[in-house]
Amino acid sequence: MEPILEVKNLRKSFKGFTLKDVSFSLPRGFIMGFIGPNGAGKSTTIKLIMNLLKRDGGEIKVFGFDNIKHEKEIKEKIGFVYEESYFYGELTISEMKRVIAPLYKNWDEEAFTKYLKEFDLPAKRKIKSLSRGMKIKFALAIALSHGAELLIMDEPTSGLDPLIRSELLDIFSSLIQDENKSIFFSTHITSDLDKVADYITLINKGEIIFSTTKDEIIENYGIVKGSKDILSEDIKKYFVGIKENKFGFEGLVKDKKQIKKLLKDTVIVEKPTLEDVMLYFTKEEFKCSV
Amino acid sequence: MFSLILKDILISKKILLLTAAFLIVWVPTFQNFAAVVIMVGMAYMGLIVTSSADETNKADILLNSLPLRRYEIVLAKYLSIFVYSAIGIAIYLLVAAATKVLGLPIHVYPINFKAVIYGVLAVSFLNGIYLPLMFKFGHGFSGIMYIILIFGFFYGISYVIRLFKKFVNYDWFQSIVSFIMNQSDTVKMLFIIALALIVMTVSCLLSVKFYKNREF
């Protein structure tokens, strides 16, 4: 089946930052977490997908169509939630809905009313008086009320308290029960993805480090802990990154079976969290020549 | 696209009503220019208020994430200017009618079709120059630049009149003037409408070109 989102060799240059040949694809019915440190290129990639920025090169296909040539048709089926609320603060929830609803051919008023109720959003309240969590929920209610098949979210959970974050993650998980829907979700809070993501794409300094399934990371990658004595130059080659202290070392490997075979009982191998993975891949002082 | 006009009206409704009330009170000062002043004033206030809201809310990001083409966003701005002007005229006519019915001892300057057409021309010229600049440089550019334009516009009119006086003795100029003067009022009005339409079309095409190249 054709991927719902496909990015190939995407390039964009700014003064002091370049997005270098970014490529990844998201199959239908899955959640992809797009992770990386601040300034890695996550928002730039999302803005390029949404045609808010002009690409210098490469290709972006959404639902199999070029994102610029078929911009309007594609955006009919995209729901978006950004880190900041860009709705007009001067308008009430129902006024903003009155403006947005006619722009979508498949607007579902019943669904919108249901989400307002479910998210506890007062229709007569001005948007500027809503809390950050409520603004995100309003954006989500809009995104879910026009039959969107792809949800694009840029740091939707950043700055939210754990309770609302968990509530939002539950909503994402329930959404994906509909196999036709997919979510592309950028965040630097990787713990959110431990719960919901199927695919992980890591970007750093404008380059894709990897794009793979979360299972592949959890099953194959490993955090290795042991004494510094065993860290020969040959052994270091198996590591993505190593953190040393006076008691020993801790490092990330891509193939935990291989390192277990090699070092046997001299080391402890644990499952990595996504935060570990991001840290070892992106932090300069931990890096090894792999 | 009409949603965007509705959005602009929802945002500026209070200011538009206040502006209309203020302008109507001052109408006796403007006498026969009442229509032009009301239309220019309403378009100015509407545009300034909505531009400020667009800028505060970084609305270009929202609008360009919705299923809208960039030319639709531009066109909606052009149309909403005339909607603001129309609201002003409608309010003035209502107040004028109420004054007549109630028999209040206030002199109401009549607004006729001709006056409205001159208003359309003034609004078209002012916004025809201003809007491409706004779409090129963003909403932050709005306030002061618009005021400079309004003063420049009225200074420009007096300059054109002075220029006319200089040319008045030339034969070619007299023949153009007499050709225009000999036309019926309808033809003169049509000429003005065509001029306003040309200004707005060229301006709108420029705005679309500029806005298509913007990044958010």
Side-chain angles (χ1 to χ4, degrees):
Chain A
M1 201 199 266
E2 201 164 28
I4 201 160
L5 171 66
E6 194 177 13
V7 175
K8 270 190 204 162
N9 303 319
L10 183 61
R11 273 177 285 123
K12 175 76 186 170
S13 285
F14 299 110
K15 213 176 170 188
F17 177 79
T18 306
L19 207 61
K20 299 161 205 144
D21 291 319
V22 164
S23 300
F24 59 86
S25 71
L26 170 63
R28 230 171 233 278
F30 294 99
I31 299 181
M32 177 180 275
F34 191 41
I35 61 171
N38 287 333
K42 300 187 297 292
S43 294
T44 303
T45 307
I46 286 183
K47 283 185 172 182
L48 285 162
I49 294 170
M50 294 302 285
N51 197 24
L52 296 169
L53 291 175
K54 307 277 164 208
R55 63 188 183 226
D56 294 339
E59 209 181 339
I60 300 171
K61 280 187 173 175
V62 188
F63 312 115
F65 298 107
D66 182 86
N67 77 320
I68 298 173
K69 281 185 199 146
H70 298 268
E71 186 176 3
K72 194 168 176 174
E73 299 89 314
I74 285 170
K75 285 180 177 171
E76 282 278 354
K77 293 193 281 176
I78 289 182
F80 58 90
V81 179
Y82 299 138
E83 188 180 3
E84 262 182 78
S85 163
Y86 295 112
F87 296 112
Y88 288 86
E90 302 81 357
L91 301 183
T92 63
I93 284 181
S94 75
E95 283 173 336
M96 194 72 244
K97 188 269 302 178
R98 255 177 84 193
V99 171
I100 290 177
L103 300 174
Y104 289 104
K105 280 184 198 149
N106 297 322
W107 182 261
D108 183 347
E109 189 62 34
E110 218 172 281
F112 182 73
T113 315
K114 185 194 91 178
Y115 284 118
L116 281 196
K117 220 171 171 185
E118 204 177 305
F119 297 161
D120 219 5
L121 293 168
K124 298 279 167 228
R125 274 271 291 276
K126 282 205 171 173
I127 293 169
K128 65 180 168 196
S129 72
L130 300 177
S131 67
R132 199 182 126 62
M134 285 168 106
K135 281 179 186 164
I136 295 285
K137 282 180 178 175
F138 173 55
L140 202 57
I142 295 271
L144 300 176
S145 301
H146 62 268
E149 290 172 24
L150 172 63
L151 285 189
I152 293 186
M153 296 191 272
D154 189 11
E155 306 269 5
T157 53
S158 117
L160 296 180
D161 67 60
L163 208 73
I164 295 183
R165 262 174 53 207
S166 156
E167 212 180 307
L168 282 178
L169 294 173
D170 287 343
I171 296 166
F172 299 162
S173 295
S174 67
L175 276 177
I176 222 70
Q177 303 306 316
D178 175 354
E179 285 180 3
N180 220 17
K181 283 188 167 56
S182 305
I183 299 179
F184 182 69
F185 174 6
S186 96
T187 184
H188 62 269
I189 310 169
T190 49
S191 58
D192 287 348
L193 298 171
D194 287 329
K195 297 176 194 165
V196 297
D198 303 297
Y199 286 83
I200 302 291
T201 298
L202 172 63
I203 187 169
N204 189 36
K205 293 180 182 165
E207 273 179 282
I208 297 292
I209 308 292
F210 64 75
S211 184
T212 185
T213 61
K214 191 178 74 186
D215 291 346
E216 150 89 18
I217 297 169
I218 304 298
E219 280 164 23
N220 296 330
Y221 286 39
I223 288 285
V224 182
K225 291 175 184 174
S227 155
K228 279 200 279 189
D229 311 338
I230 55 168
L231 275 184
S232 66
E233 284 308 309
D234 277 348
I235 293 293
K236 277 186 180 176
K237 282 180 190 159
Y238 292 95
F239 284 81
V240 170
I242 295 174
K243 186 166 68 179
E244 290 181 58
N245 59 37
K246 56 182 175 182
F247 305 110
F249 80 93
E250 187 187 296
L252 179 80
V253 289
K254 280 183 177 175
D255 189 343
K256 62 183 172 195
K257 280 178 199 149
Q258 191 183 35
I259 207 80
K260 265 185 190 168
K261 217 170 170 182
L262 214 67
L263 299 174
K264 300 202 171 64
D265 290 339
T266 57
V267 288
I268 301 168
V269 180
E270 291 170 356
K271 272 189 180 174
T273 62
L274 288 174
E275 192 173 332
D276 293 328
V277 174
M278 186 170 98
L279 221 64
Y280 281 104
F281 268 106
T282 59
K283 228 171 167 184
E284 280 303 321
E285 65 242 54
F286 297 167
K287 277 204 174 154
C288 295
S289 48
V290 192
Chain B
M1 192 172 64
F2 292 103
S3 269
L4 300 183
I5 300 172
L6 168 74
K7 177 260 300 173
D8 281 346
I9 291 168
L10 287 172
I11 288 168
S12 58
K13 61 187 177 206
K14 280 184 195 158
I15 296 290
L16 285 179
L17 284 174
L18 278 172
T19 308
F22 176 80
L23 289 172
I24 287 164
V25 169
W26 284 94
V27 152
T29 320
F30 309 123
Q31 300 184 1
N32 295 326
F33 287 110
V36 176
V37 172
I38 288 172
M39 289 173 77
V40 168
M42 291 291 278
Y44 167 73
M45 283 313 286
L47 195 58
I48 289 298
V49 170
T50 52
S51 284
S52 150
D54 284 342
E55 202 201 352
T56 315
N57 299 296
K58 296 183 189 160
D60 287 313
I61 293 182
L62 170 73
L63 299 180
N64 286 285
S65 299
L66 293 166
L68 282 165
R69 294 205 165 87
R70 290 204 178 181
Y71 78 82
E72 291 175 300
I73 299 171
V74 172
L75 204 57
K77 254 319 172 221
Y78 275 79
L79 292 177
S80 54
I81 283 161
F82 291 104
V83 174
Y84 306 140
S85 297
I87 291 172
I89 294 295
I91 294 174
Y92 182 80
L93 292 175
L94 272 175
V95 172
T99 311
K100 212 172 179 182
V101 170
L102 296 171
L104 297 174
I106 301 167
H107 178 71
V108 177
Y109 287 91
I111 285 183
N112 53 25
F113 181 66
K114 205 168 158 182
V116 171
I117 293 299
Y118 285 130
V120 168
L121 188 66
V123 169
S124 299
F125 261 109
L126 270 171
N127 295 287
I129 297 169
Y130 173 71
L131 283 170
L133 296 172
M134 190 189 88
F135 281 110
K136 169 99 182 154
F137 299 108
H139 303 289
F141 188 66
S142 301
I144 297 166
M145 191 63 210
Y146 206 132
I147 292 173
I148 293 171
L149 259 176
I150 289 182
F151 281 111
F153 180 72
F154 287 109
Y155 177 78
I157 288 176
S158 63
Y159 179 75
V160 169
I161 291 170
R162 265 186 282 149
L163 211 63
F164 275 14
K165 280 178 186 163
K166 260 191 196 173
F167 286 134
V168 85
N169 294 325
Y170 291 98
D171 286 348
W172 61 269
F173 187 75
Q174 279 176 355
S175 56
I176 292 173
V177 171
S178 64
F179 172 76
I180 294 170
M181 289 306 171
N182 287 336
Q183 303 302 319
S184 65
D185 267 7
T186 318
V187 174
K188 280 184 211 157
M189 288 301 109
L190 281 175
F191 175 74
I192 293 173
I193 291 171
L195 194 63
L197 213 61
I198 291 168
V199 169
M200 283 315 242
T201 309
V202 172
S203 164
C204 193
L205 288 173
L206 265 177
S207 294
V208 170
K209 188 178 178 320
F210 291 148
Y211 197 58
K212 272 188 175 170
N213 289 327
R214 287 273 304 281
E215 294 194 315
F216 307 105

